[in-house]
Amino acid sequence: MFVAPRRWGTLSLLLATTGGAASAQIDYRNLDHARPLLVADAVLAERYAFEVSLPFAYRRADAADFVFASPELQYGIGRNLAVGAELELEAGGGDSGIHGARLFAAFNPLRETLSAPAISIQAELSRLRGPSEGGVTLGAIEGLATRSFGRSRLHANLLLQAGTGVGDDLELPRWRLGVALDRTLIRSSTLVGVELLAADAPAGSVAWLVGLGVRRQVSPTLVAHLGLHQALEAGEGGTTVRFGLSHVFAIRALMPGAVR
């Protein structure tokens, strides 16, 4: 974001002076994937900062109920570089347990300026339960862009993925394109956003999804999110409600120059 100088200066001071934990007051502006929108911004986790997220989702589709949890840990390992891991848990539909795991790394080669948007590139490797013996291995690459207009931001994401072991029992989109618009309500430390997504679907068709969500700073170290998604084709994904919490902190011993 072009408004980043104050943001990064504030966070750097917090990280440098706080021993156990630190957080930026503007963490509610970090629009992470599925927290609550599926479209994410191109801003990575701050350098030397950890972000732990515990998102949940409830989905109603084809007269069945599903509950998901996706605990995630992300770390700003270097300047404009972040890595993370996520575990996917599922209950409902007669099949419960660990659905899969995901590793990812993201690089931010271009921060937002007056003349250009912020750009990030993310690589992912996932292992999912699937119809084939041993499950499904999935690789993905995603491009993310963010452009600010005052307190509003426009985001675009393009995801390309492919996997082995994908069959009729586990249909995964080969591509997904999403755009989102969010608005910052500074006085209440709140972010609201809407999105539209299109994804590859069986038989060469396109699946459409709309969503809206809100993120709110509950405390200096805690952010809550709530979102709603609706598939535009009956029976194709149904309605999903997303909610959860995110916490940002730092560990002094992992920072440069720390006394050990």
Side-chain angles (χ1 to χ4, degrees):
M1 288 171 287
F2 186 68
V3 294
R6 183 177 179 181
R7 166 184 176 166
W8 298 118
T10 301
L11 184 66
S12 298
L13 179 62
L14 284 167
L15 291 178
T17 58
T18 305
S23 174
Q25 288 285 351
I26 39 63
D27 186 55
Y28 67 94
R29 293 200 73 193
N30 294 347
L31 194 60
D32 300 320
H33 172 72
R35 293 153 177 76
L37 301 182
L38 296 179
V39 173
D41 63 26
V43 181
L44 305 185
E46 291 81 359
R47 191 180 184 186
Y48 308 129
F50 288 90
E51 180 177 20
V52 59
S53 299
L54 187 58
F56 295 89
Y58 166 78
R59 178 177 300 160
R60 178 71 174 176
D62 297 328
D65 297 320
F66 302 86
V67 178
F68 304 89
S70 306
E72 177 187 289
L73 179 64
Q74 186 176 168
Y75 177 56
I77 195 171
R79 183 175 177 83
N80 302 325
L81 181 64
V83 296
E86 180 185 66
L87 190 64
E88 299 182 16
L89 311 175
E90 178 181 346
D95 188 14
S96 301
I98 299 177
H99 180 66
R102 180 174 70 102
L103 299 175
F104 63 89
F107 176 56
N108 183 204
L110 182 63
R111 293 192 180 187
E112 186 174 1
T113 66
L114 283 174
S115 59
I119 300 292
S120 290
I121 300 172
Q122 180 166 299
E124 305 177 6
L125 182 63
S126 302
R127 188 68 176 173
L128 307 175
R129 288 189 305 181
S132 65
E133 183 177 354
V136 172
T137 300
L138 188 67
I141 186 79
E142 185 171 18
L144 308 93
T146 293
R147 184 64 167 157
S148 300
F149 304 92
R151 287 189 290 155
S152 298
R153 300 183 302 170
L154 181 64
H155 315 281
N157 293 177
L158 175 59
L159 174 72
L160 302 175
Q161 62 183 359
T164 60
V166 180
D168 293 337
D169 295 332
L170 184 61
E171 293 288 353
L172 295 170
R174 294 170 296 178
W175 60 266
R176 186 182 69 210
L177 175 64
V179 293
L181 178 68
D182 68 36
R183 176 77 171 176
T184 302
L185 308 178
I186 296 176
R187 291 185 180 274
S188 60
S189 297
T190 303
L191 182 81
V192 294
V194 295
E195 67 180 348
L196 174 66
L197 298 104
D200 178 41
S205 60
V206 176
W208 294 90
L209 187 74
V210 294
L212 58 88
V214 57
R215 284 174 62 90
R216 182 178 177 85
Q217 194 93 26
V218 179
S219 75
T221 61
L222 198 64
V223 172
H225 69 260
L226 176 65
L228 177 67
H229 286 90
Q230 176 64 53
L232 299 184
E233 295 84 11
E236 296 294 333
T239 302
T240 303
V241 178
R242 303 181 190 277
F243 56 95
L245 298 170
S246 298
H247 174 58
V248 176
F249 63 96
I251 299 176
R252 181 186 291 274
L254 297 179
M255 299 178 66
V259 178
R260 294 177 173 82

